[in-house]
Amino acid sequence: MTTPNVRIVGRRFVDGHGRTLSLRGVNAGGSSKVPTRPDGRTHVTHGFYDHRDVSFVGRPFPLDETDEHFARLARWGLTFVRLLTTWEAVEHDGPGHYDHDYLGYLRAVVESAATHGINVFIDPHQDVWSRWTGGDGAPGWSLDAVGIDLTGLAATGAAVSHQTTGEPFPRMIWPTNHTKLGAATMFTLFFAGNDLLPSTTIAGDGAQDILQESYIAAMTEVARTVADLPNVVGYDTMNEPGCGWIDVEDLGEHAGRLRIGPSPTPLQSMVAASGRPVEVGVYDLLADQPHATTVLNPDGVRLWREGFQCPWLAEGVWEEEGPDGVRLLRPHHCAGRRFYDRYLVPFVRRYAERIRSVHAEAAIFVEGVPGAAPPALQGPADPDRIVHAGHWYDGLTLLTKHYDPGLAVDDRTHELVTGEDAVRRSVRAQMARLVSESEELLGGVPTLVGEIGVPFDLDDGVAYQSGDFSAQTAALRAYIDALDANLLSFTLWNYTADNTNEHGDGWNGEDLSIFSRDQGWFGEGPDSGARALLGFCRPYPLATAGTPLALEFDAEARVLRYLFTAAADVAAPTEIYVPAVQYPDGFDVATSAGTWRVAGARVLLDTTGRSGEVTVTVKPR
């Protein structure tokens, strides 16, 4: 049995020496959501509907570039990678047909990471179900199997996608697909089909059983491929799982808070997908009321293929009353279903059991629906060695693509926060909430913020002309200051090897990559391509021979202050990463105990045999 390089002990990540680890890294990568063949970047329309003959080999980067990219990440102190894969990448050709070329490629990427001292956890990524429902993740056959004609999703308003909308693609409109028929129906089938849509079957079996089994089996095949590699720490269960229309109180009213563009209710979505034109409200970003109306599906296109009908119609949720009318029969069909307890938790249990049947030592990384707490997992039937891997974004900056250090919105309460001091306190409190949820809902487990980042195309991409990434640098400093204050591990979103200034990360107009070959502000050296390097490349304790107590980095003075309680029985030294980019003229170290030396970009502090509090200060020479 392979022992992973990173283990879980209580609330801590630890290494083989018993040192407490601070895991800092990046998601690799943003374009891993789409295939390399055909070119799946979302501004490209050619081959969009050829969903079986695709390949994800080369995501996140070609094999002959792995050393370059992993060496760069290690140089920047980013030694923990959330490695993206997708269900589609593994099983695009149909249930049980695995792409072994891709699986072999994925293993080779993980092996290359190991040669650079980089550990990984595997992220089965998805956003709003699939590429055809405006995101990524599930294979096309999953929609085809329940009767959805992929070419009709856009025309019926069942999904909004970059490929079918073209340019300009409305900013951050893609999350609205969570409440549109395509993604909402598929997530409802996946998690609660047996209860809510039992009439919908795949090859005679319940759609929920087939979809969940296929997903879990595909991810188990991924685990089987890499289970013997010690730098594989574990597996996420599902990126930002969607609840579909589960728990929606009234299917005749709007579901969800985010409305951009044409925004139908669930009933209006069902009716439009069945071939009827429907008048719906049109919303601007952050608006509470529609500013206009438009007709959804004016041409009367039918989403369902011959021989299939709307699952909600088949279930008797609504009925057609003739050519001019419809009636909602069961508005509360989905109400009170308790998505987490009744559906997500059993899925996590099943997933963890199957993954550990082939990788017994794996950690299981868990997250909730976007912008919400994780599910409660601390009962006797729940898996042990789990990690709370929730995400955090500065939602106002993400939506408006403008950073104001004195303006923010609480990601849970949605309350507006004003004033720089108040914003700093709020962000730190939001991070602290993630830690408290790990305690209260998960029984005291490690917390790793799985995604956190900033758009680099702020203010219409002005930095690409000026070379001034000061706004992005300030944002990253503020976010990581809050992470440090809570002693949190994290993986930045993201590192996209093929990012360009023109098309960003190649997915839905997003541009959050800390690297782009279009940026050459650091010359031709190893930092070439970095964006806002001083914002995220900063000193921190990688491994602590004891228990961390407090961490602070003054980015203006470039002074690191670290406090920890030494463990006398840990023989390996505390390791502090000290990047040259922060200390071009060298640095000095002061410590209250032990002896220290410099090895490359690391300070090694030996406190063997000592106990009690130790302070370490690193400052420019």
Side-chain angles (χ1 to χ4, degrees):
M1 183 181 299
T2 302
T3 300
N5 296 338
V6 178
R7 297 175 294 114
I8 294 173
V9 177
R11 296 163 178 80
R12 301 182 299 141
F13 298 106
V14 301
D15 66 6
H17 302 287
R19 296 180 297 182
T20 301
L21 299 175
S22 177
L23 303 178
R24 297 196 178 191
V26 71
N27 284 259
S31 62
S32 293
K33 302 177 179 186
V34 299
T36 51
R37 178 183 58 79
D39 184 350
R41 291 177 299 167
T42 59
H43 64 278
V44 178
T45 59
H46 177 72
F48 180 46
Y49 296 112
D50 299 332
H51 61 89
R52 289 184 181 265
D53 185 18
V54 301
S55 175
F56 284 72
V57 172
R59 301 295 189 206
F61 24 72
L63 277 182
D64 59 4
E65 294 182 10
T66 54
D67 284 331
E68 172 203 342
H69 296 296
F70 285 133
R72 182 178 291 116
L73 292 177
R75 173 182 169 82
W76 292 344
L78 302 174
T79 58
F80 194 57
V81 166
R82 185 177 185 238
L83 184 61
L84 273 67
T85 185
T86 63
W87 180 11
E88 182 191 5
V90 178
E91 199 180 28
H92 49 82
D93 194 33
H97 297 176
Y98 302 134
D99 188 333
H100 291 286
D101 288 340
Y102 170 76
L103 292 169
Y105 158 80
L106 193 68
R107 178 182 173 88
V109 170
V110 176
E111 290 174 329
S112 178
T115 66
H116 296 275
I118 291 177
N119 296 304
V120 307
F121 75 104
I122 304 296
D123 165 39
H125 207 85
Q126 73 79 36
D127 296 282
V128 293
W129 188 259
S130 74
R131 291 192 289 134
W132 301 275
T133 48
D136 58 275
W141 65 257
S142 67
L143 294 103
D144 184 75
V146 298
I148 290 177
D149 178 354
L150 300 183
T151 66
L153 284 159
T156 60
V160 56
S161 66
H162 195 177
Q163 293 90 337
T164 56
T165 301
E167 300 289 357
F169 188 54
R171 179 184 304 166
M172 288 302 292
I173 196 172
W174 70 262
T176 66
N177 284 300
H178 274 294
T179 54
K180 289 182 167 59
L181 181 131
T185 297
M186 294 309 301
F187 274 119
T188 303
L189 285 168
F190 183 88
F191 283 112
N194 292 344
D195 285 350
L196 295 177
L197 297 170
S199 299
T200 300
T201 61
I202 298 175
D205 292 317
Q208 175 182 331
D209 298 330
I210 295 298
L211 293 172
Q212 276 202 30
E213 172 58 27
S214 295
Y215 175 88
I216 292 173
M219 292 308 113
T220 303
E221 192 69 17
V222 171
R224 184 178 289 110
T225 300
V226 298
D228 63 318
L229 302 178
N231 64 323
V232 177
V233 176
Y235 307 82
D236 206 335
T237 47
M238 177 184 286
N239 178 73
E240 297 185 353
C243 58
W245 287 331
I246 303 166
D247 277 338
V248 169
E249 182 64 27
D250 188 336
L251 294 170
E253 302 293 334
H254 280 103
R257 300 175 63 95
L258 184 62
R259 293 170 209 153
I260 305 172
S263 300
T265 67
L267 175 62
Q268 289 172 329
S269 294
M270 299 171 197
V271 173
S274 293
R276 290 174 177 259
V278 178
E279 186 176 22
V280 302
V282 181
Y283 289 75
D284 288 327
L285 177 66
L286 304 179
D288 292 328
Q289 298 296 325
H291 67 82
T293 62
T294 190
V295 175
L296 212 61
N297 194 10
D299 298 325
V301 175
R302 193 171 184 274
L303 177 63
W304 309 103
R305 300 195 338 267
E306 189 67 31
F308 292 86
Q309 66 173 328
C310 170
W312 305 94
L313 181 64
E315 216 57 54
V317 171
W318 66 285
E319 69 176 2
E320 299 179 282
E321 292 187 310
D324 299 318
V326 299
R327 184 168 59 156
L328 180 58
L329 300 175
R330 297 162 67 180
H332 308 301
H333 181 70
C334 297
R337 292 290 177 165
R338 301 180 64 185
F339 172 65
Y340 275 15
D341 294 345
R342 191 163 179 174
Y343 303 113
L344 185 57
V345 167
F347 164 75
V348 170
R349 290 172 180 160
R350 184 182 177 199
Y351 178 90
E353 181 180 11
R354 291 282 290 280
I355 291 293
R356 285 181 173 160
S357 71
V358 298
H359 193 169
E361 298 299 309
I364 302 298
F365 292 72
V366 177
E367 54 192 277
V369 299
L377 288 163
Q378 47 185 321
D382 296 324
D384 61 356
R385 288 172 287 124
I386 63 176
V387 177
H388 178 200
H391 302 169
W392 184 91
Y393 284 101
D394 176 352
L396 203 56
T397 299
L398 197 65
L399 287 170
T400 64
K401 292 197 176 182
H402 173 74
Y403 176 66
D404 183 339
L407 196 63
V409 174
D410 186 293
D411 71 327
R412 300 288 175 77
T413 67
H414 306 290
E415 293 176 350
L416 186 67
V417 183
T418 59
E420 292 190 25
D421 289 342
V423 168
R424 279 192 291 269
R425 289 192 299 270
S426 175
V427 174
R428 293 186 183 199
Q430 291 176 61
M431 300 297 182
R433 184 164 54 208
L434 294 173
V435 178
S436 66
E437 289 168 351
S438 300
E439 183 71 31
E440 296 163 9
L441 298 174
L442 301 173
V445 302
T447 306
L448 176 137
V449 181
E451 290 185 19
I452 183 170
V454 65
F456 283 91
D457 57 343
L458 295 177
D459 304 313
D460 297 318
V462 65
Y464 302 151
Q465 286 73 49
S466 67
D468 180 5
F469 285 89
S470 56
Q472 293 88 342
T473 299
L476 287 169
R477 283 175 172 173
Y479 305 159
I480 300 177
D481 283 348
L483 291 162
D484 283 354
N486 289 282
L487 299 171
L488 279 167
S489 295
F490 61 89
T491 46
L492 294 168
W493 185 270
N494 68 77
Y495 184 99
T496 299
D498 54 343
N499 175 283
T500 66
N501 290 349
E502 182 179 7
H503 296 297
D505 301 333
W507 184 84
N508 282 349
E510 290 202 345
D511 193 354
L512 288 89
S513 177
I514 62 172
F515 169 84
S516 177
R517 295 200 190 278
D518 283 354
Q519 265 60 67
W521 316 120
F522 289 88
E524 297 301 320
D527 293 329
S528 179
R531 292 167 154 181
L533 184 62
L534 293 176
F536 65 84
C537 184
R538 46 196 270 167
Y540 73 96
L542 293 94
T544 301
T547 303
L549 297 176
L551 175 64
E552 179 185 31
F553 177 60
D554 182 334
E556 295 301 324
R558 303 192 182 192
V559 175
L560 175 76
R561 298 179 180 89
Y562 182 46
L563 174 67
F564 69 97
T565 301
D569 58 344
V570 177
T574 292
E575 296 188 28
I576 299 176
Y577 168 70
V578 185
V581 71
Q582 294 283 0
Y583 301 97
D585 299 318
F587 57 87
D588 291 319
V589 179
T591 178
S592 65
T595 59
W596 62 273
R597 63 186 177 88
V598 176
R602 302 187 182 189
V603 170
L604 307 182
L605 173 61
D606 186 358
T607 55
T608 304
R610 298 174 183 266
S611 58
E613 292 187 358
V614 178
T615 60
V616 183
T617 304
V618 179
K619 61 179 59 177
R621 181 169 298 161

